[in-house]
Amino acid sequence: MRTLTFAQAIEEALAQAMAADERIIIIGEDVHMLRVNLFARFGKKRVLAAPISEAAFVGAGVTAAMAGMRPVVEIMLVDFVGVAMDALLNHAAKTDMFSGGRWQVPMVIRAACGGGYGDGGQHEQSLWGWLAHIPGLSVVVPSTPADAGRLMLAALDHDGPVIFLEHKLLSDYWLEYMGRGGRTTVQFDVPAIGAKGPVPQTWRSLPLGVATLRREGGDLTIATVGVSVYRALQAALVLEKQGYTSDVLDLRSVWPLDKKALWDSVEKTGRLLVVDEDYQNFGLSGELAATVLEANLPVKYSRVCTAGTLPYRRELEEATLPNVERIVDSARRLMAAQ
Amino acid sequence: MTDNQPDLWILYRRMLTARLFEEAVGKLWQQGRISGEMHLGTGEEAIAAGVVDHLTDNDALALDHRGTAPYLLFGGDPVKLLREFLGHPKGLCRGMGGHMHLFDPDKLTASSGIVGAAGPAAAGFALAAKHLRPDNIAVAIFGEGAMNQGALMESMNLAAAWRLPALFVCKDSQWAITTLSATVTGGALTDRAKGLGLKTFAANGSDVEAVWRAAGSAVNRVRGRSKPAFLYLTCSHLEGHFLGDALLKIARHPGKEMKEIAGPLIKSVTRIKGAGLSKRAASLSMVTNLIGKTTREQIFKPHDPIKIVRKKLKKRPTRLEVLETEVTQEINKVVAEALA
Ligand SMILES: Cc1ncc(C[n+]2csc(CCOP(=O)(O)OP(=O)(O)O)c2C)c(N)n1
């Protein structure tokens, strides 16, 4: 089986789709360099460099999609989505409904997300829960190269707006730009199998909203997405030595949410620990608790999330992000709960 | 400082302070003691020094991701500033913000890593000044790339409509990361500001005397008169967009870096499906041109403001040497203290 990096996988899948469908275009700041391979192959009409005007070009992406294009609009880091939020909140997400189901917005919003490299609280957010809160937006957060390529195809195929988030600890070029900058003097906790891994020979899409079990066990369910999948897997190893086995459920999509996979696992284990790099309050972690309660499943519950604004100082940042130690602690308390 | 004659010695001292401070920051970043990105303002010192010299206590500063030099020269404590970059609990913001998020309530200075955010920030500071401190003004400092951000344009309009004492300082380095701003910008930037009703001023931002004069006129226009102004200054970034800048790396180590890029690039550009040959060639030549322009800028470094002002002061070599030794010692002391 061949292997690719996370970034290569996305690029290959995108290239395959762009070669097959001329309506797919890429829009964003610096895409002539960030996507230089696609820029060279598909030309500047299809890989369109934009001014720093997110409100305008994300908004334009919405109506370009309505008028027949399939744009992939990049906003660099998801933190910058604030500037373009109206286009997503009040337009991309509303058109299908407002048109009585007669008009769709087949657009992909691509952005890097996540922390763990010391860039401060305005460049390291996750925000997938905040985005998925809005009816009409789908949000995917792949954690492996294979999923990244396949979910990019799914996002391109989908007839509504899909936000595609790539974690900076998985995408080597983002980490290089934002964290390393050519230095050998800095270290990051990069999950090796997430940053580079096996991929299919040709790309086919993975349906949105299908979770997968990364590890199976019987005592508790750890549900998570993105880089936290790897933190959870490491924690599961530690827990196993202490006598507890875990299901590690990688949701892959925040919305649509694979409720069945969650129910199946929690029904088996009776304990749910949500690990979420996004903010704790009013987000994915609470949503998963509600999802389980609404199904009348008996459950003991806890969560490890990013509690507040990410501090710049590295040690504090690492402590604020969900880490293995916090997950193990929380799991042990959950196991001890009567 | 007299009314229309800058004291070049004072300005040079400040510029050199900013330069040596930022060079020290660059070294610490290289050593891995400073995390994340690092946007140095080396090459912008004439702007920082020439503008800030006209500000007084209780004026406000709204900065972007490249705010180190203006904040430092506005009187920011260098040890606290450096400690902030080091993520030190005794840093300016207790190590919580980092270099893109400098906040100092005592100096009414706020920064943001969101491009364009300096516009609304200055408008609000100016609004508060109008109510509470009628002799004071607010200054936004940002790059030409930010001029395409709606919120910045809206802020200029706000300042004109509400008659706010705000000065919008645009530093045109031509580049926004790897984008030549002219290729994604319609019209002339000063025309935009004029169109919104702001009086505009312009100067060569690498010549501190010219900056100082233009900034003086602009500040005079704004202070006490509740009329916003726009100051347009050209400059160049000696260390590219940020440390580790991709184009700069290629320009400095073409052999090594091109090897990494060329493989995937050639593979992609020779695939069957895609744009026609001429379009592919156009893409490649655009990338080559960007690299070429970066390389030329690196080799000639024509706009280093320190060199330009230094030439004017060379007639007094002893005085120059004393000054430079003093500033070097001061910065060494700052670094030692911050690391202690
Ligand atoms: C809203 C937003 N979009 C994109 C970015 C990424 N970004 C950071 S700096 C920069 C270029 C800014 O160019 P300019 O305003 O000219 O300032 P310079 O960096 O050249 O000093 C970009 C695109 C950002 N920080 N915020």
Side-chain angles (χ1 to χ4, degrees), chain B residues 167-196:
Chain B
L167 172 61
F168 296 86
V169 179
C170 176
K171 306 164 296 171
D172 189 348
S173 70
Q174 298 184 46
W175 293 93
I177 314 189
T178 64
T179 299
L180 281 172
S181 290
T183 61
V184 291
T185 302
L189 299 182
T190 44
D191 290 348
R192 283 189 192 178
K194 267 186 211 143
L196 291 167

PDB file of all heavy atoms in Angstrom, chain B residues 167-196:
ATOM      1  N   LEU B 167      -5.608  58.725  12.764  1.00  0.00           N
ATOM      2  CA  LEU B 167      -4.644  58.733  11.661  1.00  0.00           C
ATOM      3  C   LEU B 167      -4.446  57.290  11.203  1.00  0.00           C
ATOM      4  O   LEU B 167      -4.116  56.409  12.009  1.00  0.00           O
ATOM      5  CB  LEU B 167      -3.313  59.329  12.133  1.00  0.00           C
ATOM      6  CG  LEU B 167      -2.149  59.227  11.127  1.00  0.00           C
ATOM      7  CD1 LEU B 167      -2.460  59.975   9.832  1.00  0.00           C
ATOM      8  CD2 LEU B 167      -0.857  59.762  11.752  1.00  0.00           C
ATOM      9  N   PHE B 168      -4.653  57.047   9.927  1.00  0.00           N
ATOM     10  CA  PHE B 168      -4.493  55.712   9.355  1.00  0.00           C
ATOM     11  C   PHE B 168      -3.161  55.667   8.616  1.00  0.00           C
ATOM     12  O   PHE B 168      -2.982  56.364   7.621  1.00  0.00           O
ATOM     13  CB  PHE B 168      -5.654  55.401   8.407  1.00  0.00           C
ATOM     14  CG  PHE B 168      -6.984  55.342   9.104  1.00  0.00           C
ATOM     15  CD1 PHE B 168      -7.744  56.498   9.307  1.00  0.00           C
ATOM     16  CD2 PHE B 168      -7.480  54.139   9.595  1.00  0.00           C
ATOM     17  CE1 PHE B 168      -8.963  56.449   9.960  1.00  0.00           C
ATOM     18  CE2 PHE B 168      -8.700  54.074  10.254  1.00  0.00           C
ATOM     19  CZ  PHE B 168      -9.445  55.232  10.436  1.00  0.00           C
ATOM     20  N   VAL B 169      -2.232  54.878   9.139  1.00  0.00           N
ATOM     21  CA  VAL B 169      -0.894  54.809   8.538  1.00  0.00           C
ATOM     22  C   VAL B 169      -0.760  53.502   7.762  1.00  0.00           C
ATOM     23  O   VAL B 169      -0.788  52.407   8.343  1.00  0.00           O
ATOM     24  CB  VAL B 169       0.201  54.870   9.619  1.00  0.00           C
ATOM     25  CG1 VAL B 169       1.593  54.766   8.988  1.00  0.00           C
ATOM     26  CG2 VAL B 169       0.084  56.156  10.433  1.00  0.00           C
ATOM     27  N   CYS B 170      -0.616  53.619   6.463  1.00  0.00           N
ATOM     28  CA  CYS B 170      -0.512  52.434   5.609  1.00  0.00           C
ATOM     29  C   CYS B 170       0.931  52.258   5.152  1.00  0.00           C
ATOM     30  O   CYS B 170       1.503  53.137   4.513  1.00  0.00           O
ATOM     31  CB  CYS B 170      -1.427  52.600   4.404  1.00  0.00           C
ATOM     32  SG  CYS B 170      -1.285  51.246   3.228  1.00  0.00           S
ATOM     33  N   LYS B 171       1.525  51.115   5.508  1.00  0.00           N
ATOM     34  CA  LYS B 171       2.907  50.824   5.111  1.00  0.00           C
ATOM     35  C   LYS B 171       2.854  49.913   3.894  1.00  0.00           C
ATOM     36  O   LYS B 171       2.449  48.760   4.008  1.00  0.00           O
ATOM     37  CB  LYS B 171       3.654  50.092   6.220  1.00  0.00           C
ATOM     38  CG  LYS B 171       3.636  50.767   7.568  1.00  0.00           C
ATOM     39  CD  LYS B 171       4.069  49.767   8.650  1.00  0.00           C
ATOM     40  CE  LYS B 171       3.081  48.643   8.750  1.00  0.00           C
ATOM     41  NZ  LYS B 171       3.536  47.530   9.614  1.00  0.00           N
ATOM     42  N   ASP B 172       3.271  50.427   2.767  1.00  0.00           N
ATOM     43  CA  ASP B 172       3.204  49.619   1.546  1.00  0.00           C
ATOM     44  C   ASP B 172       4.540  48.933   1.291  1.00  0.00           C
ATOM     45  O   ASP B 172       5.497  49.546   0.845  1.00  0.00           O
ATOM     46  CB  ASP B 172       2.815  50.495   0.354  1.00  0.00           C
ATOM     47  CG  ASP B 172       2.531  49.653  -0.885  1.00  0.00           C
ATOM     48  OD1 ASP B 172       2.848  48.440  -0.873  1.00  0.00           O
ATOM     49  OD2 ASP B 172       1.987  50.199  -1.859  1.00  0.00           O
ATOM     50  N   SER B 173       4.586  47.635   1.587  1.00  0.00           N
ATOM     51  CA  SER B 173       5.794  46.846   1.342  1.00  0.00           C
ATOM     52  C   SER B 173       5.673  46.095   0.019  1.00  0.00           C
ATOM     53  O   SER B 173       6.536  45.285  -0.312  1.00  0.00           O
ATOM     54  CB  SER B 173       5.976  45.816   2.468  1.00  0.00           C
ATOM     55  OG  SER B 173       4.963  44.824   2.366  1.00  0.00           O
ATOM     56  N   GLN B 174       4.582  46.319  -0.678  1.00  0.00           N
ATOM     57  CA  GLN B 174       4.227  45.635  -1.929  1.00  0.00           C
ATOM     58  C   GLN B 174       3.729  44.208  -1.725  1.00  0.00           C
ATOM     59  O   GLN B 174       2.976  43.690  -2.530  1.00  0.00           O
ATOM     60  CB  GLN B 174       5.395  45.589  -2.922  1.00  0.00           C
ATOM     61  CG  GLN B 174       5.863  46.952  -3.379  1.00  0.00           C
ATOM     62  CD  GLN B 174       6.948  46.839  -4.418  1.00  0.00           C
ATOM     63  OE1 GLN B 174       6.847  46.057  -5.360  1.00  0.00           O
ATOM     64  NE2 GLN B 174       7.999  47.620  -4.245  1.00  0.00           N
ATOM     65  N   TRP B 175       4.189  43.559  -0.671  1.00  0.00           N
ATOM     66  CA  TRP B 175       3.883  42.150  -0.475  1.00  0.00           C
ATOM     67  C   TRP B 175       2.897  41.919   0.664  1.00  0.00           C
ATOM     68  O   TRP B 175       3.035  42.520   1.725  1.00  0.00           O
ATOM     69  CB  TRP B 175       5.149  41.368  -0.086  1.00  0.00           C
ATOM     70  CG  TRP B 175       6.214  41.260  -1.126  1.00  0.00           C
ATOM     71  CD1 TRP B 175       7.279  42.102  -1.289  1.00  0.00           C
ATOM     72  CD2 TRP B 175       6.347  40.239  -2.124  1.00  0.00           C
ATOM     73  NE1 TRP B 175       8.062  41.662  -2.339  1.00  0.00           N
ATOM     74  CE2 TRP B 175       7.512  40.509  -2.865  1.00  0.00           C
ATOM     75  CE3 TRP B 175       5.585  39.113  -2.460  1.00  0.00           C
ATOM     76  CZ2 TRP B 175       7.942  39.713  -3.922  1.00  0.00           C
ATOM     77  CZ3 TRP B 175       6.013  38.314  -3.507  1.00  0.00           C
ATOM     78  CH2 TRP B 175       7.180  38.620  -4.226  1.00  0.00           C
ATOM     79  N   ALA B 176       1.961  41.001   0.447  1.00  0.00           N
ATOM     80  CA  ALA B 176       1.165  40.438   1.536  1.00  0.00           C
ATOM     81  C   ALA B 176       1.466  38.935   1.499  1.00  0.00           C
ATOM     82  O   ALA B 176       0.973  38.221   0.639  1.00  0.00           O
ATOM     83  CB  ALA B 176      -0.312  40.707   1.336  1.00  0.00           C
ATOM     84  N   ILE B 177       2.304  38.489   2.390  1.00  0.00           N
ATOM     85  CA  ILE B 177       2.877  37.135   2.388  1.00  0.00           C
ATOM     86  C   ILE B 177       3.512  36.873   1.017  1.00  0.00           C
ATOM     87  O   ILE B 177       4.502  37.515   0.712  1.00  0.00           O
ATOM     88  CB  ILE B 177       1.859  36.048   2.808  1.00  0.00           C
ATOM     89  CG1 ILE B 177       1.091  36.499   4.077  1.00  0.00           C
ATOM     90  CG2 ILE B 177       2.611  34.759   3.151  1.00  0.00           C
ATOM     91  CD1 ILE B 177       0.232  35.428   4.708  1.00  0.00           C
ATOM     92  N   THR B 178       2.919  35.996   0.195  1.00  0.00           N
ATOM     93  CA  THR B 178       3.548  35.731  -1.110  1.00  0.00           C
ATOM     94  C   THR B 178       2.787  36.404  -2.252  1.00  0.00           C
ATOM     95  O   THR B 178       3.010  36.095  -3.413  1.00  0.00           O
ATOM     96  CB  THR B 178       3.604  34.219  -1.398  1.00  0.00           C
ATOM     97  OG1 THR B 178       2.259  33.717  -1.495  1.00  0.00           O
ATOM     98  CG2 THR B 178       4.336  33.457  -0.305  1.00  0.00           C
ATOM     99  N   THR B 179       1.877  37.296  -1.896  1.00  0.00           N
ATOM    100  CA  THR B 179       1.065  37.956  -2.928  1.00  0.00           C
ATOM    101  C   THR B 179       1.586  39.370  -3.154  1.00  0.00           C
ATOM    102  O   THR B 179       1.787  40.113  -2.188  1.00  0.00           O
ATOM    103  CB  THR B 179      -0.406  38.017  -2.470  1.00  0.00           C
ATOM    104  OG1 THR B 179      -0.889  36.690  -2.287  1.00  0.00           O
ATOM    105  CG2 THR B 179      -1.271  38.727  -3.492  1.00  0.00           C
ATOM    106  N   LEU B 180       1.787  39.716  -4.415  1.00  0.00           N
ATOM    107  CA  LEU B 180       2.087  41.109  -4.715  1.00  0.00           C
ATOM    108  C   LEU B 180       0.759  41.848  -4.664  1.00  0.00           C
ATOM    109  O   LEU B 180      -0.129  41.603  -5.486  1.00  0.00           O
ATOM    110  CB  LEU B 180       2.735  41.227  -6.094  1.00  0.00           C
ATOM    111  CG  LEU B 180       4.221  40.864  -6.126  1.00  0.00           C
ATOM    112  CD1 LEU B 180       4.735  40.806  -7.559  1.00  0.00           C
ATOM    113  CD2 LEU B 180       5.045  41.857  -5.303  1.00  0.00           C
ATOM    114  N   SER B 181       0.640  42.738  -3.698  1.00  0.00           N
ATOM    115  CA  SER B 181      -0.684  43.324  -3.445  1.00  0.00           C
ATOM    116  C   SER B 181      -1.264  44.004  -4.675  1.00  0.00           C
ATOM    117  O   SER B 181      -2.479  43.994  -4.880  1.00  0.00           O
ATOM    118  CB  SER B 181      -0.608  44.294  -2.266  1.00  0.00           C
ATOM    119  OG  SER B 181      -0.402  43.560  -1.075  1.00  0.00           O
ATOM    120  N   ALA B 182      -0.400  44.587  -5.503  1.00  0.00           N
ATOM    121  CA  ALA B 182      -0.906  45.278  -6.691  1.00  0.00           C
ATOM    122  C   ALA B 182      -1.715  44.342  -7.591  1.00  0.00           C
ATOM    123  O   ALA B 182      -2.634  44.778  -8.280  1.00  0.00           O
ATOM    124  CB  ALA B 182       0.253  45.887  -7.475  1.00  0.00           C
ATOM    125  N   THR B 183      -1.383  43.044  -7.561  1.00  0.00           N
ATOM    126  CA  THR B 183      -2.087  42.110  -8.445  1.00  0.00           C
ATOM    127  C   THR B 183      -3.478  41.740  -7.930  1.00  0.00           C
ATOM    128  O   THR B 183      -4.236  41.082  -8.642  1.00  0.00           O
ATOM    129  CB  THR B 183      -1.273  40.808  -8.635  1.00  0.00           C
ATOM    130  OG1 THR B 183      -1.109  40.176  -7.346  1.00  0.00           O
ATOM    131  CG2 THR B 183       0.094  41.071  -9.218  1.00  0.00           C
ATOM    132  N   VAL B 184      -3.799  42.131  -6.714  1.00  0.00           N
ATOM    133  CA  VAL B 184      -5.137  41.826  -6.188  1.00  0.00           C
ATOM    134  C   VAL B 184      -5.833  43.099  -5.690  1.00  0.00           C
ATOM    135  O   VAL B 184      -6.748  43.045  -4.872  1.00  0.00           O
ATOM    136  CB  VAL B 184      -5.089  40.777  -5.041  1.00  0.00           C
ATOM    137  CG1 VAL B 184      -4.685  39.406  -5.562  1.00  0.00           C
ATOM    138  CG2 VAL B 184      -4.153  41.223  -3.928  1.00  0.00           C
ATOM    139  N   THR B 185      -5.372  44.239  -6.180  1.00  0.00           N
ATOM    140  CA  THR B 185      -5.892  45.513  -5.679  1.00  0.00           C
ATOM    141  C   THR B 185      -6.309  46.404  -6.844  1.00  0.00           C
ATOM    142  O   THR B 185      -5.535  46.584  -7.785  1.00  0.00           O
ATOM    143  CB  THR B 185      -4.811  46.236  -4.845  1.00  0.00           C
ATOM    144  OG1 THR B 185      -4.419  45.376  -3.782  1.00  0.00           O
ATOM    145  CG2 THR B 185      -5.330  47.540  -4.260  1.00  0.00           C
ATOM    146  N   GLY B 186      -7.503  46.958  -6.763  1.00  0.00           N
ATOM    147  CA  GLY B 186      -7.961  47.888  -7.790  1.00  0.00           C
ATOM    148  C   GLY B 186      -7.690  49.321  -7.364  1.00  0.00           C
ATOM    149  O   GLY B 186      -7.849  49.666  -6.200  1.00  0.00           O
ATOM    150  N   GLY B 187      -7.249  50.144  -8.296  1.00  0.00           N
ATOM    151  CA  GLY B 187      -7.078  51.571  -8.013  1.00  0.00           C
ATOM    152  C   GLY B 187      -5.901  51.864  -7.105  1.00  0.00           C
ATOM    153  O   GLY B 187      -5.157  50.974  -6.706  1.00  0.00           O
ATOM    154  N   ALA B 188      -5.727  53.146  -6.794  1.00  0.00           N
ATOM    155  CA  ALA B 188      -4.628  53.571  -5.931  1.00  0.00           C
ATOM    156  C   ALA B 188      -5.132  53.731  -4.502  1.00  0.00           C
ATOM    157  O   ALA B 188      -6.249  54.192  -4.282  1.00  0.00           O
ATOM    158  CB  ALA B 188      -4.057  54.894  -6.432  1.00  0.00           C
ATOM    159  N   LEU B 189      -4.301  53.334  -3.557  1.00  0.00           N
ATOM    160  CA  LEU B 189      -4.744  53.326  -2.161  1.00  0.00           C
ATOM    161  C   LEU B 189      -5.051  54.733  -1.646  1.00  0.00           C
ATOM    162  O   LEU B 189      -6.009  54.942  -0.908  1.00  0.00           O
ATOM    163  CB  LEU B 189      -3.696  52.638  -1.291  1.00  0.00           C
ATOM    164  CG  LEU B 189      -3.420  51.173  -1.661  1.00  0.00           C
ATOM    165  CD1 LEU B 189      -2.405  50.560  -0.706  1.00  0.00           C
ATOM    166  CD2 LEU B 189      -4.711  50.355  -1.669  1.00  0.00           C
ATOM    167  N   THR B 190      -4.243  55.701  -2.041  1.00  0.00           N
ATOM    168  CA  THR B 190      -4.504  57.061  -1.553  1.00  0.00           C
ATOM    169  C   THR B 190      -5.823  57.593  -2.142  1.00  0.00           C
ATOM    170  O   THR B 190      -6.540  58.337  -1.482  1.00  0.00           O
ATOM    171  CB  THR B 190      -3.358  58.032  -1.900  1.00  0.00           C
ATOM    172  OG1 THR B 190      -2.969  57.798  -3.245  1.00  0.00           O
ATOM    173  CG2 THR B 190      -2.172  57.829  -0.998  1.00  0.00           C
ATOM    174  N   ASP B 191      -6.136  57.169  -3.364  1.00  0.00           N
ATOM    175  CA  ASP B 191      -7.417  57.597  -3.943  1.00  0.00           C
ATOM    176  C   ASP B 191      -8.591  57.073  -3.127  1.00  0.00           C
ATOM    177  O   ASP B 191      -9.611  57.734  -2.977  1.00  0.00           O
ATOM    178  CB  ASP B 191      -7.563  57.084  -5.385  1.00  0.00           C
ATOM    179  CG  ASP B 191      -6.610  57.807  -6.328  1.00  0.00           C
ATOM    180  OD1 ASP B 191      -6.030  58.824  -5.907  1.00  0.00           O
ATOM    181  OD2 ASP B 191      -6.447  57.340  -7.479  1.00  0.00           O
ATOM    182  N   ARG B 192      -8.429  55.852  -2.616  1.00  0.00           N
ATOM    183  CA  ARG B 192      -9.509  55.290  -1.797  1.00  0.00           C
ATOM    184  C   ARG B 192      -9.744  56.164  -0.582  1.00  0.00           C
ATOM    185  O   ARG B 192     -10.874  56.500  -0.244  1.00  0.00           O
ATOM    186  CB  ARG B 192      -9.114  53.902  -1.281  1.00  0.00           C
ATOM    187  CG  ARG B 192      -9.217  52.856  -2.309  1.00  0.00           C
ATOM    188  CD  ARG B 192      -9.022  51.506  -1.631  1.00  0.00           C
ATOM    189  NE  ARG B 192      -8.832  50.520  -2.677  1.00  0.00           N
ATOM    190  CZ  ARG B 192      -8.602  49.239  -2.464  1.00  0.00           C
ATOM    191  NH1 ARG B 192      -8.524  48.796  -1.219  1.00  0.00           N
ATOM    192  NH2 ARG B 192      -8.455  48.407  -3.454  1.00  0.00           N
ATOM    193  N   ALA B 193      -8.629  56.475   0.098  1.00  0.00           N
ATOM    194  CA  ALA B 193      -8.757  57.277   1.319  1.00  0.00           C
ATOM    195  C   ALA B 193      -9.367  58.639   0.984  1.00  0.00           C
ATOM    196  O   ALA B 193     -10.249  59.128   1.692  1.00  0.00           O
ATOM    197  CB  ALA B 193      -7.396  57.425   1.983  1.00  0.00           C
ATOM    198  N   LYS B 194      -8.920  59.225  -0.098  1.00  0.00           N
ATOM    199  CA  LYS B 194      -9.487  60.522  -0.534  1.00  0.00           C
ATOM    200  C   LYS B 194     -10.973  60.385  -0.798  1.00  0.00           C
ATOM    201  O   LYS B 194     -11.770  61.236  -0.412  1.00  0.00           O
ATOM    202  CB  LYS B 194      -8.790  60.968  -1.825  1.00  0.00           C
ATOM    203  CG  LYS B 194      -7.609  61.867  -1.588  1.00  0.00           C
ATOM    204  CD  LYS B 194      -7.056  62.391  -2.920  1.00  0.00           C
ATOM    205  CE  LYS B 194      -5.562  62.601  -2.786  1.00  0.00           C
ATOM    206  NZ  LYS B 194      -4.817  62.264  -4.001  1.00  0.00           N
ATOM    207  N   GLY B 195     -11.317  59.303  -1.474  1.00  0.00           N
ATOM    208  CA  GLY B 195     -12.727  59.075  -1.800  1.00  0.00           C
ATOM    209  C   GLY B 195     -13.601  58.975  -0.567  1.00  0.00           C
ATOM    210  O   GLY B 195     -14.791  59.283  -0.609  1.00  0.00           O
ATOM    211  N   LEU B 196     -13.018  58.558   0.524  1.00  0.00           N
ATOM    212  CA  LEU B 196     -13.778  58.447   1.774  1.00  0.00           C
ATOM    213  C   LEU B 196     -13.727  59.746   2.572  1.00  0.00           C
ATOM    214  O   LEU B 196     -14.239  59.824   3.684  1.00  0.00           O
ATOM    215  CB  LEU B 196     -13.229  57.288   2.615  1.00  0.00           C
ATOM    216  CG  LEU B 196     -13.505  55.893   2.033  1.00  0.00           C
ATOM    217  CD1 LEU B 196     -12.675  54.842   2.746  1.00  0.00           C
ATOM    218  CD2 LEU B 196     -14.984  55.552   2.121  1.00  0.00           C
TER     219      LEU B 196
END
